[in-house]
Amino acid sequence: MPEEGLFSQLKRFIVGKPIPSHLAYHERLSRVTGLAVLSSDPLSSVAYATEEILRVLVLVGTSALTRATPIAFVIATILAVVVFSYRQTIHAYPSGGGAYIVAKDNLGELPALVAASSLLIDYVLTVAVSIAAGVAAITSALPQWHVSRVELTLAFVLVLMLGNLRGIRESGRIFAAPTYFFVVTILTLIAVGAWHVLTGTATPVPPVEPVQSTGVPLTLFLLLTAFSNGCTAMTGVEAVSNGVPAFEPPEAKNAAATMLTMAVLSITMFLGITLLSHAYRITPSEQETVVSQLARGVFGDRGLPYYAVQAATMLILVLAANTAYADFPRLASILARDRYVPRQFMNQGDRLAFSNGIVGLSVLAGILLFAFRGDTHALIPLYMIGVFVSFTLSQAGMVVHWRRIRGSGWRASAAINGLGAAVTGLVLLVVAVTKALEGAWIIMLLIPLTVLFCRLTRRHYEGVATQLTLRGWQSRGPRHNTVLVPISGIQRAVLEALDYARTLSKDVRAVYVNVDPVATEHLREEWERWTDGVPLVVLDSPYRSLMEPLLEYIEQVADQKPDGYVTIVLPEFVPARWWHHLFHNQRALLIKGALLFKPNTVVTSVPFHLRH
Amino acid sequence: MPEEGLFSQLKRFIVGKPIPSHLAYHERLSRVTGLAVLSSDPLSSVAYATEEILRVLVLVGTSALTRATPIAFVIATILAVVVFSYRQTIHAYPSGGGAYIVAKDNLGELPALVAASSLLIDYVLTVAVSIAAGVAAITSALPQWHVSRVELTLAFVLVLMLGNLRGIRESGRIFAAPTYFFVVTILTLIAVGAWHVLTGTATPVPPVEPVQSTGVPLTLFLLLTAFSNGCTAMTGVEAVSNGVPAFEPPEAKNAAATMLTMAVLSITMFLGITLLSHAYRITPSEQETVVSQLARGVFGDRGLPYYAVQAATMLILVLAANTAYADFPRLASILARDRYVPRQFMNQGDRLAFSNGIVGLSVLAGILLFAFRGDTHALIPLYMIGVFVSFTLSQAGMVVHWRRIRGSGWRASAAINGLGAAVTGLVLLVVAVTKALEGAWIIMLLIPLTVLFCRLTRRHYEGVATQLTLRGWQSRGPRHNTVLVPISGIQRAVLEALDYARTLSKDVRAVYVNVDPVATEHLREEWERWTDGVPLVVLDSPYRSLMEPLLEYIEQVADQKPDGYVTIVLPEFVPARWWHHLFHNQRALLIKGALLFKPNTVVTSVPFHLRH
């Protein structure tokens, strides 16, 4: 292109440079980069999982906080089961086995749509929860920023949105550093903390706020609520199994190894933080996170190592939020291909489709953060439903998969996935019961609504496809085209429109509405001089209306040649500045609106470019 | 029209039936109806004028309230001068002499635009102040509604807007009844009150709230402030002189007589209410209007006559607000004809132009009422500037008019208008000085900004006119038109678009972007069978983009035939339901946007109507 058009410039500015097809899979992930890129979401959740358990138990009193340890061990066990279950998905779906794909292949349309809806909601909550928790890490280190919590979270959403629209995903590998920074600082924290405990030099951290026992009894329901909260440690473990094709060959083997590493790190960090929190007698607070208190206890108040922990926590959480910016548009694109969401989300080479997904995701996450005042604890109950619905459906789908394939050792594989499905299904049940009234009901309502929307969308497109079928179609051959040019006087834009109209048909007529006989007479006199024989039709307007006589005349022309087309050619000003649109009639739009539903009628605007 | 189009139906629903030209001046106003229709605005202002004086004086203490009487006499005298001055305008401008027209004829562009800006602002404030005062009449009678004051005012604006959009102006004569109802109830109130005072049976009304003397001294500035406030009694007196052509013949004579009646009634009611307020020792209150207190004092607490006064006050104030709904669009239409405001406001037979004015007026009045919490007192300082600027310019223009005409007795006429201009100019000065800090500064800022906007608008249209001149224009004769039909496959909508395209030119080409070699091969195989020899152009897309190869190809075609046109024909789905737009790509819009600034390129959509 010798000159780049407005559109290309605009698009390039917003979405960045296009990627040629042959480069799309150029850079594959090694195990080291794969862990960093795909595990930020599951690893980052250890930043808040322990705290979510403690803040339920503290309702009973500080003595109940010891119960966190057994709960954490149960969760770690379940996490291991889920990871083993997902490793099988990696081998069975080397091209990427998201819950939607596995459910669609094995369970049918409805479970697939339930999985897809859960995942879409899950991605929105990944952004909201991760950013809320990241901001909590900041406000723990810098308490004076606590009052601006909501504004900070919204600012992060904005930065992620703009960054992703501009295309930071391409250079996402640079952003992998925070994952290792986080792993190293947390493991160091655990090691140093363990050393202090073992040497007896650990001193309890005094409570940030006085603990007010609310006299709640230690019931099974309360323990299950604490357990539900702790299950946030499991969010995001499926990421590696979705990203198999991005690994270096042998893809499945590398992905499986990466997933194992991720699981070991996750469990180590989660148990480590939980055990140390117990040893340092940490009580949850609205002002400061558990990890922040622990880091103060282990490293001493507000030194360099302390700030390193807070910075690493904040960074990995923002990175975790960022992963949803790749996942949401990708799933939306797959759903659009299957015609379950509007095709604007379908990726067709340009990144425009992804842009729609990125903006949609940001707006939804922003609404959640605003509505829940940027509070991690308030968002957690909403998070879990979507995560465990997709876990359960994905594992259940794998059981069916093995039964269908019946390869060697299929029973063992089916048993592992069956255990995974049973365990995650049980957790889903616990979460639904304990969290329903804390906000999970919103998600239980949103999932069926999203499924309904997907089905209506699909039905619409199927209806359109029927109407587009070529069965029985026959070209009606050459047809007459009556070209009408409505004019309001003689000026350059009108004459240019007439010039253009004359290339379209031999039957061109200018149409003028007479509201002022003197002006009409003047027009008739000038007409021949400028228009070289184009017939001028003058319409009377008893009601002084400009539109209605024109519409009536179009109707007449159409009636005279029922087989022909009627084309309305309108001169349209293209102002030099966008706000100059204010100064020009939207008459073309009105005429288009009026004729939109009339068959065989086409309205064309001939742009007349104003220079200033 | 055998069948009524969507557009006509929609328009009829929103703006009502059109009026044939020959009926436009069918019904003329007699003196009796003329008084009712054109005087509701000036007469209604007596409902709040006295109160506005008292609430300034009470700052000094109850003893200062006696000063209201001499102030009211000064205002009544000025009102008489202004009315005599305007009666001359009636005779000089029998076709209607608004301040803009008089100033334009006699003083030049800048004063005319200042007058026009003042009037536009004045109309917005007429709506805001009248509705606020009308709601104050309601909340005085029903104190429990006082808390919903803002909501009530906004509800009234909404009702007036919808009513005027539907066209109640046509049946406006029914609404004349409230004017006479108001005049009769207020005159009765004054007569009965006067009887009580003369017979010594009048008992003072106890203060609604205890009067808190703020210890402000009785300065000249305070007296002038009270005077400024009282001048609200004069707002709207020009209405009759603007509406001369609406009267029965002899138009000018009838209008002049009507204006005199209006002045006598205004002065009588204003002085009557002021004198009685003194006799009944009424103190202003935030909770209850002066007129409401007076009605209680004269007629006894909350009987039928009391409620009649409140209802009449509320009704005439709403009617006064309604007059602005005729005046604002009319002035906007005149300004649009002179190209000082966007042409969307120009009345061209359809009522659409008026609709723009009605919605604009409602939105502005609504903003004011919301911003000033529906408080009459807060709005009054903003009201006066615009009113007195247009009074002064209008009278000054008349002086120049008489000097120019130099008919018999022109000196006397000029002297009367000169006195009018001097007096209103002096009042303007007083208002500007005493009210500047109470909100009048907003208007002093808005008037020059509106003038600036008018000038920029005019300059823009003049620039456009230069570009539309026919000087040097020559038809470039028959030119080639290359018609391109971008397609994404073969289906019915595409084939119909091709059928249409073939009526436009002999050079029609279908353009397909190859992103999937298999699909492209399939398309090539099917092509001949369906398309009867239309050439198929296949473009490669290394970046998987659909837009960029197409734009490049259009560029190539344009380069090959620099003198010809390029027409892009796109099939466009017209969904059966508006929300189905959600499901369809806005590709046509994107292509139009991309090609908007390319000369000799036209983008045409061929509608394909979806049945469901």
Side-chain angles (χ1 to χ4, degrees):
Chain A
M1 252 190 298
E3 202 185 337
E4 206 175 37
L6 177 76
F7 172 78
S8 305
Q9 286 176 33
L10 189 72
K11 208 190 68 173
R12 184 141 314 169
F13 175 74
I14 297 176
V15 302
K17 282 197 188 169
I19 327 152
S21 309
H22 57 92
L23 288 182
Y25 275 101
H26 188 71
E27 293 180 82
R28 294 291 191 97
L29 299 170
S30 69
R31 291 185 188 186
V32 174
T33 51
L35 181 73
V37 169
L38 297 169
S39 302
S40 62
D41 182 9
L43 293 179
S44 68
S45 49
V46 306
Y48 47 82
T50 303
E51 175 160 355
E52 292 301 323
I53 300 175
L54 294 178
R55 59 190 304 279
V56 174
L57 296 174
V58 81
L59 295 176
V60 180
T62 39
S63 62
L65 294 177
T66 55
R67 307 295 173 116
T69 307
I71 290 174
F73 273 98
V74 174
I75 291 168
T77 313
I78 295 175
L79 178 57
V81 170
V82 171
V83 164
F84 275 95
S85 189
Y86 262 109
R87 273 167 58 94
Q88 302 213 106
T89 310
I90 290 174
H91 292 290
Y93 283 86
S95 59
Y100 169 67
I101 288 166
V102 172
K104 200 178 101 182
D105 271 10
N106 300 298
L107 300 177
E109 191 201 25
L110 185 62
L113 290 180
V114 172
S117 307
S118 305
L119 283 171
L120 289 176
I121 292 168
D122 181 17
Y123 295 141
V124 175
L125 278 151
T126 299
V127 175
V129 169
S130 300
I131 288 182
V135 167
I138 297 178
T139 57
S140 295
L142 305 165
Q144 65 274 30
W145 288 10
H146 195 266
V147 286
S148 315
R149 195 170 57 170
V150 181
E151 290 82 356
L152 276 172
T153 61
L154 294 179
F156 271 112
V157 172
L158 196 68
V159 167
L160 283 178
M161 183 178 85
L162 293 177
N164 279 285
L165 285 175
R166 283 286 289 121
I168 56 160
R169 271 181 304 117
E170 261 49 54
S171 50
R173 244 133 272 185
I174 305 167
F175 291 78
T179 305
Y180 284 105
F181 181 36
F182 179 73
V183 170
V184 169
T185 50
I186 295 293
L187 290 182
T188 309
L189 173 72
I190 292 169
V192 176
W195 173 258
H196 283 309
V197 173
L198 295 176
T199 57
T201 54
T203 48
V205 178
V208 180
E209 303 143 347
V211 178
Q212 292 170 330
S213 167
T214 54
V216 172
L218 188 70
T219 58
L220 178 65
F221 187 83
L222 188 123
L223 285 174
L224 288 176
T225 306
F227 164 78
S228 295
N229 272 2
C231 287
T232 49
M234 279 184 250
T235 58
V237 295
E238 80 286 5
V240 174
S241 76
N242 294 349
V244 185
F247 278 91
E248 286 170 355
E251 291 90 349
K253 194 152 171 273
N254 284 330
T258 305
M259 191 159 209
L260 196 62
T261 316
M262 182 274 288
V264 170
L265 286 174
S266 251
I267 291 174
T268 310
M269 295 196 291
F270 176 50
L271 290 181
I273 290 172
T274 309
L275 288 169
L276 283 182
S277 297
H278 176 51
Y280 279 87
R281 309 250 172 88
I282 283 163
T283 51
S285 145
E286 291 297 322
Q287 301 298 316
E288 190 179 356
T289 65
V290 164
V291 171
S292 172
Q293 293 184 51
L294 187 61
R296 279 201 290 118
V298 171
F299 292 131
D301 255 17
R302 324 248 158 197
L304 196 62
Y306 166 78
Y307 285 112
V309 171
Q310 292 311 104
T313 307
M314 188 271 281
L315 283 171
I316 197 174
L317 282 162
V318 172
L319 190 61
N322 194 53
T323 59
Y325 277 89
D327 295 337
F328 185 94
R330 191 194 299 132
L331 179 58
S333 177
I334 294 171
L335 288 170
R337 201 192 55 207
D338 292 348
R339 295 186 288 171
Y340 286 121
V341 302
R343 65 176 67 169
Q344 283 88 330
F345 290 101
M346 187 146 69
N347 181 22
Q348 298 187 308
D350 293 306
R351 285 204 212 129
L352 278 173
F354 276 114
S355 306
N356 289 333
I358 288 165
V359 173
L361 177 63
S362 304
V363 169
L364 294 173
I367 290 173
L368 276 182
L369 284 167
F370 185 79
F372 289 88
R373 314 303 305 153
D375 182 359
T376 321
H377 313 315
L379 287 163
I380 290 286
L382 281 71
Y383 198 11
M384 311 297 292
I385 296 284
V387 172
F388 280 90
V389 166
S390 69
F391 277 173
T392 309
L393 286 171
S394 164
Q395 304 316 306
M398 287 308 295
V399 176
V400 176
H401 171 85
W402 299 124
R403 273 177 60 95
R404 216 158 34 84
I405 306 285
R406 290 183 186 265
S408 70
W410 72 270
R411 281 172 204 280
S413 300
I416 295 176
N417 283 130
L419 180 65
V423 168
T424 51
L426 198 67
V427 174
L428 174 61
L429 203 71
V430 171
V431 169
V433 169
T434 56
K435 294 292 166 189
L437 299 179
E438 283 181 48
W441 64 270
I442 299 172
I443 306 302
M444 296 182 208
L445 210 68
L446 271 180
I447 290 175
L449 285 177
T450 312
V451 170
L452 187 70
F453 174 78
C454 290
R455 290 202 135 170
L456 287 176
T457 306
R458 170 79 172 228
R459 194 203 285 170
H460 174 79
Y461 283 129
E462 279 170 354
V464 170
T466 330
Q467 294 174 63
L468 290 177
T469 176
L470 294 175
R471 196 171 303 144
W473 194 84
Q474 197 142 22
S475 167
R476 276 176 288 175
R479 286 156 79 184
H480 185 80
N481 192 348
T482 312
V483 177
L484 305 178
V485 185
I487 62 165
S488 57
I490 307 185
Q491 28 89 334
R492 195 173 275 261
V494 164
L495 295 185
E496 292 201 355
L498 282 174
D499 252 20
Y500 175 77
R502 286 196 290 180
T503 72
L504 302 182
S505 172
K506 291 202 172 61
D507 184 2
V508 175
R509 314 170 194 174
V511 185
Y512 180 73
V513 178
N514 168 23
V515 281
D516 171 359
V518 178
T520 308
E521 201 40 53
H522 181 73
L523 179 78
R524 276 194 208 276
E525 281 161 17
E526 292 280 297
W527 189 249
E528 267 312 305
R529 186 175 153 208
W530 293 106
T531 56
D532 200 17
V534 174
L536 173 67
V537 178
V538 175
L539 306 173
D540 278 325
S541 176
Y543 294 91
R544 288 165 299 149
S545 161
L546 292 176
M547 281 290 284
E548 269 152 55
L550 179 64
L551 298 181
E552 270 177 65
Y553 182 71
I554 292 168
E555 199 80 35
Q556 274 173 34
V557 170
D559 286 353
Q560 278 159 20
K561 293 219 194 294
D563 254 0
Y565 291 106
V566 181
T567 301
I568 321 295
V569 172
L570 294 163
E572 185 181 35
F573 290 138
V574 179
R577 306 222 171 95
W578 67 265
W579 55 272
H580 285 174
H581 276 289
L582 185 70
F583 295 121
H584 298 283
N585 262 324
Q586 304 307 311
R587 205 165 159 231
L589 262 183
L590 278 180
I591 292 178
K592 274 188 197 180
L595 297 173
L596 195 60
F597 292 98
K598 225 177 128 38
N600 301 323
T601 308
V602 174
V603 181
T604 298
S605 310
V606 181
F608 181 84
H609 299 97
L610 294 173
R611 289 184 308 276
H612 53 81
Chain B
M1 248 192 299
E3 203 184 338
E4 205 175 37
L6 177 76
F7 172 78
S8 305
Q9 286 176 34
L10 189 71
K11 208 189 66 172
R12 186 139 314 169
F13 175 74
I14 298 177
V15 303
K17 281 198 189 168
I19 327 151
S21 307
H22 56 93
L23 288 182
Y25 278 101
H26 189 71
E27 294 181 80
R28 293 291 190 97
L29 299 171
S30 67
R31 291 186 188 185
V32 174
T33 50
L35 180 74
V37 169
L38 297 170
S39 301
S40 61
D41 182 10
L43 294 179
S44 69
S45 49
V46 306
Y48 47 83
T50 303
E51 174 159 356
E52 292 302 323
I53 300 175
L54 294 178
R55 60 188 303 279
V56 175
L57 297 174
V58 81
L59 295 176
V60 179
T62 40
S63 62
L65 293 178
T66 55
R67 309 294 175 118
T69 309
I71 289 175
F73 274 98
V74 173
I75 291 168
T77 312
I78 295 176
L79 178 57
V81 170
V82 170
V83 165
F84 275 95
S85 189
Y86 262 108
R87 273 167 59 94
Q88 302 212 105
T89 310
I90 290 175
H91 292 289
Y93 283 86
S95 59
Y100 169 67
I101 289 167
V102 174
K104 200 178 101 183
D105 271 11
N106 301 297
L107 300 176
E109 191 200 24
L110 186 63
L113 289 181
V114 172
S117 307
S118 305
L119 282 172
L120 289 175
I121 292 168
D122 179 17
Y123 294 141
V124 175
L125 278 153
T126 299
V127 174
V129 168
S130 300
I131 288 182
V135 167
I138 297 178
T139 56
S140 294
L142 306 164
Q144 66 274 31
W145 288 12
H146 195 266
V147 285
S148 313
R149 197 170 56 170
V150 181
E151 291 81 355
L152 276 172
T153 61
L154 294 179
F156 271 111
V157 172
L158 196 68
V159 167
L160 282 178
M161 183 179 84
L162 294 177
N164 279 286
L165 285 175
R166 284 285 291 120
I168 55 159
R169 271 180 305 117
E170 260 49 55
S171 50
R173 244 132 272 186
I174 305 167
F175 291 80
T179 306
Y180 285 105
F181 181 36
F182 179 73
V183 170
V184 169
T185 50
I186 295 293
L187 290 182
T188 310
L189 173 73
I190 292 170
V192 175
W195 174 257
H196 283 310
V197 173
L198 295 175
T199 56
T201 53
T203 48
V205 178
V208 180
E209 303 144 348
V211 178
Q212 291 170 330
S213 168
T214 53
V216 172
L218 187 70
T219 58
L220 178 65
F221 186 84
L222 188 122
L223 285 174
L224 288 177
T225 306
F227 164 78
S228 295
N229 272 3
C231 286
T232 48
M234 280 184 250
T235 56
V237 295
E238 81 286 5
V240 174
S241 77
N242 294 349
V244 185
F247 279 91
E248 287 171 355
E251 290 89 352
K253 197 155 168 269
N254 284 329
T258 305
M259 190 159 211
L260 196 62
T261 315
M262 181 275 286
V264 170
L265 286 173
S266 251
I267 291 174
T268 309
M269 296 195 291
F270 175 51
L271 290 181
I273 290 172
T274 309
L275 289 169
L276 283 182
S277 297
H278 174 51
Y280 279 86
R281 308 253 172 86
I282 283 163
T283 50
S285 145
E286 291 297 322
Q287 301 298 317
E288 189 179 357
T289 65
V290 164
V291 171
S292 171
Q293 294 184 51
L294 187 60
R296 280 201 289 115
V298 171
F299 293 131
D301 256 17
R302 323 251 159 198
L304 194 63
Y306 166 79
Y307 284 112
V309 171
Q310 293 310 105
T313 307
M314 187 272 279
L315 283 172
I316 198 175
L317 281 162
V318 172
L319 189 61
N322 194 53
T323 59
Y325 277 90
D327 294 338
F328 185 94
R330 191 193 299 132
L331 179 58
S333 176
I334 293 171
L335 288 170
R337 202 191 54 206
D338 292 347
R339 296 187 287 173
Y340 286 121
V341 302
R343 66 177 66 171
Q344 283 88 330
F345 290 101
M346 188 148 68
N347 180 22
Q348 298 187 307
D350 293 306
R351 285 203 213 129
L352 278 175
F354 277 114
S355 306
N356 289 332
I358 287 165
V359 173
L361 177 63
S362 304
V363 168
L364 294 173
I367 290 172
L368 275 182
L369 284 168
F370 185 78
F372 289 88
R373 316 302 304 151
D375 182 358
T376 321
H377 314 314
L379 288 163
I380 290 286
L382 281 73
Y383 197 11
M384 312 298 293
I385 295 284
V387 172
F388 281 89
V389 166
S390 68
F391 277 172
T392 309
L393 286 171
S394 164
Q395 304 315 307
M398 287 307 295
V399 176
V400 175
H401 172 85
W402 300 121
R403 275 177 59 95
R404 218 161 28 89
I405 306 285
R406 290 182 187 263
S408 69
W410 72 270
R411 280 171 205 281
S413 299
I416 295 176
N417 284 131
L419 180 64
V423 167
T424 50
L426 198 66
V427 174
L428 174 62
L429 203 71
V430 171
V431 168
V433 169
T434 55
K435 294 291 166 188
L437 298 179
E438 283 182 49
W441 64 270
I442 300 171
I443 305 302
M444 296 182 210
L445 210 68
L446 271 181
I447 291 175
L449 286 176
T450 312
V451 170
L452 188 70
F453 173 77
C454 290
R455 291 203 134 169
L456 287 176
T457 306
R458 170 80 172 226
R459 194 203 285 171
H460 173 78
Y461 284 128
E462 279 169 355
V464 170
T466 330
Q467 294 175 62
L468 290 176
T469 177
L470 294 175
R471 195 172 300 144
W473 193 83
Q474 198 142 23
S475 167
R476 278 176 287 175
R479 287 155 79 184
H480 185 81
N481 192 348
T482 311
V483 178
L484 305 178
V485 186
I487 61 166
S488 57
I490 307 185
Q491 28 88 334
R492 196 174 274 262
V494 163
L495 295 185
E496 292 200 355
L498 281 174
D499 251 21
Y500 174 78
R502 286 197 290 178
T503 73
L504 302 182
S505 172
K506 292 203 170 62
D507 184 1
V508 175
R509 314 172 195 174
V511 184
Y512 180 73
V513 178
N514 168 24
V515 282
D516 171 0
V518 178
T520 308
E521 202 40 54
H522 181 72
L523 179 78
R524 276 193 207 276
E525 282 160 18
E526 291 281 298
W527 189 249
E528 266 313 304
R529 186 174 152 208
W530 294 105
T531 56
D532 198 18
V534 174
L536 173 66
V537 178
V538 175
L539 305 174
D540 278 324
S541 176
Y543 294 92
R544 287 165 299 149
S545 160
L546 292 177
M547 281 290 284
E548 270 154 51
L550 179 64
L551 298 181
E552 271 176 65
Y553 182 70
I554 291 168
E555 200 80 36
Q556 275 174 33
V557 169
D559 286 352
Q560 278 159 20
K561 292 217 196 292
D563 254 0
Y565 291 107
V566 181
T567 302
I568 321 295
V569 173
L570 294 163
E572 184 181 35
F573 290 139
V574 180
R577 306 218 172 98
W578 67 265
W579 54 270
H580 285 174
H581 276 290
L582 185 71
F583 296 122
H584 298 284
N585 262 324
Q586 305 306 313
R587 206 168 159 229
L589 261 183
L590 280 179
I591 292 179
K592 274 188 198 183
L595 296 172
L596 195 61
F597 292 97
K598 227 178 126 36
N600 301 323
T601 308
V602 175
V603 180
T604 298
S605 310
V606 181
F608 182 85
H609 299 97
L610 294 173
R611 289 184 307 277
H612 51 81

